[in-house]
Amino acid sequence: MAPQPYLLSARSIVKSFGPTTVLKGFDLSIAQGEVHAFLGGNGAGKSTFIKIVSGQHERDAGTIEFDGETVGASVAAYVDAGAIAVVNQELALLPHLSVAENIAIPRLRRATRSYSERASEAIAIEALSLIDPHFARESVGRLVGDLTLHERQLVEIARALGSGAKLLLLDEPTANLTAAETGRLFAVIRRLVVGTGLAVLFVSHRMREIRQIADVCTIIRDGKTAIDRVALNAITDREIVECMGQSTAAEDHVGAASDGGVPRAMPKETSAAQGEVIAIHHAGIGLTIRPGTIVGLAGAPTGPAALIDALTGLSAQQTWDVKRNDAPVKYRSPAAAARAGIGFVSGDRSNKGILATLPIIDNLMAARRIVEGRGVARNDELAEGTRLIEALNIRARSLWDLPSTLSGGTQQKLLIARWLALKPKLLVLEEPTRGVDIRTKREIYALIRKMAEQGTAVIWWSTEYIELAELCETVLAFDLDGKPTCVLRDAQVNEAALANATGMAA
Ligand SMILES: Nc1ncnc2c1ncn2[C@@H]1O[C@H](COP(=O)(O)OP(=O)(O)OP(=O)(O)O)[C@@H](O)[C@H]1O
């Protein structure tokens, strides 16, 4: 019997941006009815390849065959025809349109009937119900611009899942999803893969998740294929990490790669342990945060978001009481909070983090300029910028390049770098390791621990309970309705207890 042709076969793909060659003769083939993990370190070229296969970039060289046809210069026609759907790392919804319009309008490109609001709502509810029927009914008429990042992510995933495509490209779809949502997403993917022969290319840095959902993997390293279509049950986590070129960082903890249980390193007693104390209180739950402690927030996004709003001045509506050294505080804006010593790294990287039209140096200096109340650059900023990108191992060609020239994980490091030299009293982090590879994750853990040792108190919201269990001696848990449920301490901070306390136990 002749071997089955692949649904997608990309061979010898080359792509450069100016003088930088990102894909250097890369190969990847995906069969019908498989979930294919696409693995590689930050900046290896995964998103670039996905953008080529989804018609957002054109390749410089190489061949692509899709569904038995040789594809010309661009894949865009197949995307427009609905055969290929993509969820990019940076979401691509239109904020001034409703959820229903965002889901239904792309289908009108191939529809023969005129637009109908009722038909759009029905299409959107069907797509969203794949993930969450309650959210489907509640969100369909809302403007996308009014949704949280997390809600937008659900909409974008539902749009792709419900599109009827033959190939689904998912670039880090689970960053920012709760464990329950990830479980539902995986169930839908499995159903579609088995039922309709859907093929899925799935990018994630979370090894446990990859093993849960994917059948085979391809590993990209420095723009070339390091491993081509290997069954996941034929390769160990350690081998994967080695192939990605990340073995030194993961040496002590292949557990980090496999998300396995890693003992938590407690921050050392800080010299500032007697410094400012921050107290938070709401709905019968209170917590005192001392300098040098890393406090985790666990649970569905609404709960942590309300606390983060209060701590950083993000919203005028403040449900939490916040006191610093017994004095109540309320900030009008994140800038006001920053000037009062509170740093913030938003989980909404593209809308509330990266300054997309300003070069890397301005992105690095943004927090310092706000804290110091300066609108203009200072001479020594270039030296400080260079120190920061070295400290975080950020691979940038020039400090004058735009952040869009950096990979997603590298942009994440840029946001953290902003606060490194400022020694804030409190640093509030929303999913700070979103989209970062295993090595970078360990680098970020070390940097934040060091800041804690120097006296910064840290609030760390993460949807990855293993991360909270590794880093935090105290975790504030929230239930699915956003209410704080309890404070877990020391030995209580483990994955099972966190899942229980947040209503996400299986
Ligand atoms: N528009 C661009 N101009 C210049 N360089 C770019 C551009 N887009 C991407 N790059 C570079 O291409 C390389 C690969 O980036 P890409 O986003 O494809 O990596 P990735 O594997 O998806 O990484 P991550 O896991 O961080 O998302 C990076 O070095 C990045 O800086």
Side-chain angles (χ1 to χ4, degrees):
M1 207 170 71
Q4 279 289 96
Y6 292 116
L7 176 68
L8 178 98
S9 185
R11 296 281 125 195
S12 309
I13 304 296
V14 176
K15 177 70 187 173
S16 300
F17 296 102
T20 313
T21 302
V22 175
L23 298 178
K24 304 168 180 167
F26 177 66
D27 301 326
L28 188 145
S29 302
I30 309 171
Q32 230 192 1
E34 81 181 5
V35 181
H36 191 125
F38 185 16
L39 311 175
N42 290 140
K46 301 180 297 297
S47 298
T48 304
F49 179 76
I50 283 188
K51 285 182 179 163
I52 289 173
V53 178
S54 55
Q56 300 167 74
H57 287 328
E58 283 191 13
R59 62 195 185 277
D60 299 334
T63 58
I64 297 182
E65 284 178 17
F66 178 72
D67 207 11
E69 292 177 14
T70 302
V71 178
S74 168
V75 189
Y78 295 85
V79 179
D80 287 348
I84 298 174
V86 62
V87 176
N88 288 305
Q89 254 184 60
E90 301 309 342
L91 303 181
L93 298 170
L94 298 170
H96 53 288
L97 296 184
S98 70
V99 168
E101 288 161 340
N102 266 279
I103 293 179
I105 282 177
R107 299 201 196 177
L108 293 179
R109 281 184 300 208
R110 44 188 199 282
T112 48
R113 280 174 306 171
S114 55
Y115 181 78
S116 138
E117 203 170 314
R118 270 194 40 209
S120 292
E121 288 200 356
I123 290 172
I125 288 181
E126 192 185 337
L128 287 163
S129 296
L130 288 170
I131 303 252
D132 185 341
H134 171 73
F135 177 63
R137 286 190 299 280
E138 176 270 318
S139 70
V140 70
R142 286 165 66 194
L143 276 188
V144 159
D146 295 337
L147 302 184
T148 63
L149 169 72
H150 166 257
E151 289 169 332
R152 276 181 276 140
Q153 182 126 0
L154 291 180
V155 172
E156 184 125 2
I157 290 173
R159 174 164 79 173
L161 281 175
S163 68
K166 293 181 175 177
L167 173 62
L168 200 54
L169 308 163
L170 301 176
D171 195 350
E172 305 253 14
T174 55
N176 228 290
L177 294 195
T178 63
E181 286 159 348
T182 300
R184 282 203 293 272
L185 169 65
F186 285 0
V188 179
I189 289 180
R190 275 269 150 245
R191 213 167 60 229
L192 294 173
V193 164
V194 173
T196 69
L198 173 74
V200 180
L201 187 66
F202 180 85
V203 176
S204 169
H205 294 286
R206 300 176 175 181
M207 199 65 74
R208 181 190 294 180
E209 216 172 77
I210 291 158
R211 291 207 175 271
Q212 252 174 7
I213 187 69
D215 311 301
V216 291
C217 69
T218 288
I219 300 178
I220 184 170
R221 179 169 176 180
D222 195 20
K224 295 195 200 109
T225 309
I227 288 271
D228 193 2
R229 286 193 59 84
V230 164
L232 269 159
N233 56 19
I235 187 166
T236 64
D237 286 354
R238 188 173 288 276
E239 285 163 345
I240 289 176
V241 169
E242 268 168 24
C243 271
M244 293 197 300
Q246 309 235 309
S247 45
T248 42
E251 202 57 5
D252 355 320
H253 299 293
V254 168
S258 59
D259 299 350
V262 181
R264 177 176 348 133
M266 295 286 186
K268 297 192 189 86
E269 281 294 307
T270 72
S271 52
Q274 305 306 316
E276 189 180 83
V277 171
I278 297 169
I280 54 175
H281 189 269
H282 171 57
I285 299 269
L287 182 62
T288 304
I289 306 164
R290 297 192 182 280
T293 49
I294 303 179
V295 174
L297 305 183
T302 25
L307 172 57
I308 290 172
D309 282 358
L311 288 168
T312 63
L314 259 179
S315 160
Q317 285 184 341
Q318 190 164 323
T319 49
W320 282 80
D321 294 325
V322 180
K323 287 185 180 155
R324 293 176 69 174
N325 280 347
D326 285 334
V329 289
K330 196 169 186 172
Y331 302 109
R332 285 190 333 275
S333 64
R339 282 191 279 274
I342 296 183
F344 175 45
V345 176
S346 167
D348 191 351
R349 187 163 65 209
S350 55
N351 288 313
K352 295 185 186 152
I354 290 291
L355 304 164
T357 54
L358 296 176
I360 292 169
I361 180 69
D362 289 318
N363 270 277
L364 284 167
M365 291 302 136
R368 179 176 287 290
R369 289 181 197 159
I370 287 168
V371 167
E372 292 174 359
R374 282 188 296 117
V376 290
R378 248 188 6 215
N379 283 342
D380 58 359
E381 286 188 346
L382 276 182
E384 184 173 339
T386 307
R387 271 198 304 278
L388 287 173
I389 64 169
E390 277 166 11
L392 273 141
N393 209 356
I394 293 174
R395 279 196 295 162
R397 252 185 324 159
S398 153
L399 285 172
W400 299 106
D401 281 348
L402 288 178
S404 57
T405 62
L406 304 175
S407 76
T410 312
Q411 290 182 26
Q412 190 65 32
K413 289 204 272 185
L414 195 63
L415 297 185
I416 293 172
R418 269 182 195 163
W419 294 101
L420 266 191
L422 293 179
K423 300 200 168 64
K425 294 254 187 280
L426 175 70
L427 182 61
V428 180
L429 303 167
E430 282 182 342
E431 292 274 29
T433 59
R434 177 183 156 213
V436 303
D437 63 30
I438 293 156
R439 174 170 35 207
T440 310
K441 222 175 207 187
R442 305 232 71 81
E443 285 168 6
I444 291 176
Y445 290 176
L447 283 163
I448 300 298
R449 280 191 180 121
K450 196 159 160 212
M451 285 180 85
E453 279 169 25
Q454 289 169 351
T456 293
V458 179
I459 297 265
W460 187 303
W461 177 51
S462 176
T463 51
E464 274 191 280
Y465 292 166
I466 183 71
E467 178 164 282
L468 296 178
E470 177 170 353
L471 282 162
C472 307
E473 62 266 45
T474 307
V475 175
L476 175 55
F478 296 82
D479 67 15
L480 295 172
D481 298 322
K483 280 211 243 15
T485 54
C486 61
V487 175
L488 302 172
R489 291 180 203 281
D490 304 320
Q492 293 172 318
V493 181
N494 59 61
E495 279 189 274
L498 286 169
N500 266 328
T502 55
M504 292 188 198

